[in-house]
Amino acid sequence: MKPTRRDFRLDIIVLLGSITGVTITVFGIYRWLSGQHALAWLDFAIVACVMLPVLYAWRTGDSTRAGAALCVLNSAGTLAACLLAGHTALTWIYLVLLTNFFIANRWLAASANLVILVGVQLLPGFFHDGFHATSVAVSVLLITGFSYIFAKRTQGDRARLEKLAAIDALTGVPNRRSMERALADAVDTFQRTGHNYGLVVLDLDRFKDVNDQYGHAAGDAAIADLASILRFEMRRNDHVFRFGGEEFVALLDLDNSQDLEAATERLRKAVRSALRGPGGRITISLGAALLREQEKTWHDWFSRADAALYRAKSAGRDSYVIADDLF
């Protein structure tokens, strides 16, 4: 199945793996037509070995294992090419030294690069002389060092950017993007293992009145305070997200509809007793739904909880409705 999450390393593995496969295939065809059948068979074998982890990564989304396998295969293939083709294979070495850091953990990439360095140094007659061997060794170490530093900085920057992209700036809780991923994972887990989840959609009652009478600063403060209360009420395996505006979503790890109803009422009471604005107490309305077997996507599950929320608001606010009560 094609992965649903965007993974930078996965993109690089598929791109570089595909380019490598096509490029080596062209070389293999040329060598075959030139009568270099042994080298051509080596090229084709390398292509097969490279494409296996690429296809695995594409189908499963597991870029960590695929990247590690591709790093080892590329390095081993490079050493084999050096053994068969001599120093003319040095071009492949420099390419592999760089790409290892894009497809694998930087420690594995650095280790693979050092193995390549030691391996070519031990090949008899590979270098013209000692100066040639030394210059290649220095080049390998410089490429490895700079690539290691670049990979470390890039990984840190990417992690920080992904964290910022997943967090709502006002409340500090995960945003809608994170919610969609979490709900999709919950549905997948439920389909595979039967592990149950509850979903609660809630928003502030008469929030427009707070904004109109006291200004948007007061409204933002109420939203931030609500997020703090909800975050405090979450248990170890529960999660809360800001869906948008004054609306929040709680993903609860529980067993049955009775637990869902108890948790929903607990959230309502916690907010009612703790949330205050310039005009006094602020309440919430909630709609909840237990994940059902026939729901294959999170959208269906969310729609039931959202419909329950609007039923609660129509009933007078400061209340909750469990979706199963609607049917």
Side-chain angles (χ1 to χ4, degrees):
M1 181 177 66
K2 184 178 178 179
T4 57
R5 292 189 179 187
R6 188 63 183 265
D7 185 332
F8 173 78
R9 182 178 290 172
L10 175 61
D11 292 341
I12 295 297
I13 288 172
V14 173
L15 177 61
L16 291 181
S18 301
I19 292 175
T20 300
V22 171
T23 304
I24 298 179
T25 298
V26 171
F27 272 94
I29 294 173
Y30 171 78
R31 284 171 172 159
W32 182 270
L33 296 176
S34 301
Q36 305 175 54
H37 294 166
L39 290 177
W41 280 118
L42 173 63
D43 289 335
F44 297 146
I46 291 175
V47 169
C49 291
V50 166
M51 294 311 298
L52 284 175
V54 170
L55 292 174
Y56 170 80
W58 178 252
R59 290 184 61 84
T60 66
D62 185 356
S63 60
T64 301
R65 292 181 181 177
L70 201 56
C71 174
V72 172
L73 288 171
N74 283 350
S75 302
T78 299
L79 287 176
C82 290
L83 179 62
L84 292 175
H87 65 271
T88 57
L90 279 175
T91 304
W92 292 113
I93 286 183
Y94 297 127
L95 179 61
V96 169
L97 294 175
L98 288 171
T99 57
N100 278 348
F101 282 94
F102 287 95
I103 60 178
N105 175 280
R106 62 180 183 270
W107 288 108
L108 175 60
S111 300
N113 286 6
L114 292 178
V115 169
I116 291 175
L117 171 61
V118 173
V120 296
Q121 294 291 332
L122 295 177
L123 290 178
F126 184 77
F127 298 105
H128 301 304
D129 49 38
F131 177 79
H132 186 202
T134 302
S135 64
V136 170
V138 171
S139 298
V140 169
L141 291 175
L142 286 175
I143 292 173
T144 300
F146 285 124
S147 298
Y148 179 89
I149 294 171
F150 178 78
K152 183 178 181 181
R153 291 289 299 272
T154 301
Q155 183 179 356
D157 291 343
R158 187 167 64 251
R160 284 189 289 271
L161 287 173
E162 289 178 350
K163 183 177 181 180
L164 288 174
I167 298 297
D168 176 65
L170 174 62
T171 62
V173 301
N175 57 20
R176 177 172 177 169
R177 178 185 179 189
S178 301
M179 180 207 76
E180 292 179 356
R181 290 181 173 180
L183 296 190
D185 286 345
V187 172
D188 180 64
T189 300
F190 176 72
Q191 294 294 336
R192 288 186 294 103
T193 68
H195 187 87
N196 229 329
Y197 294 94
L199 182 65
V200 181
V201 182
L202 60 97
D203 70 5
L204 292 166
D205 293 330
R206 299 184 174 87
F207 180 70
K208 186 176 184 300
D209 295 341
V210 176
N211 274 335
D212 291 345
Q213 294 180 31
Y214 304 104
H216 289 286
D220 288 347
I223 290 174
D225 290 344
L226 173 58
S228 297
I229 296 169
L230 294 175
R231 188 161 45 191
F232 179 79
E233 292 295 325
M234 294 297 106
R235 300 165 303 173
R236 181 176 181 180
N237 294 324
D238 296 339
H239 305 278
V240 63
F241 310 89
R242 186 184 181 189
F243 183 71
E246 71 274 20
E247 195 167 5
F248 288 79
V249 172
L251 175 61
L252 308 179
D253 186 344
L254 39 75
D255 295 324
N256 50 57
S257 57
Q258 291 76 24
D259 292 342
L260 176 60
E261 184 169 4
T264 305
E265 173 66 356
R266 175 172 56 84
L267 293 178
R268 186 194 69 82
K269 288 182 177 179
V271 174
R272 191 177 196 280
S273 63
L275 186 59
R276 298 290 184 274
R281 173 181 289 137
I282 300 177
T283 60
I284 59 172
S285 297
L286 311 93
L290 196 69
L291 183 55
R292 301 192 302 191
E293 186 174 352
Q294 60 266 40
E295 290 167 336
K296 305 302 182 182
T297 68
W298 68 266
H299 301 86
D300 297 332
W301 184 23
F302 183 89
S303 294
R304 284 199 302 125
D306 200 39
L309 167 63
Y310 282 98
R311 179 75 173 268
K313 295 184 80 69
S314 300
R317 298 180 172 83
D318 190 23
S319 62
Y320 68 88
V321 170
I322 306 298
D324 293 340
D325 295 343
L326 300 176
F327 303 98

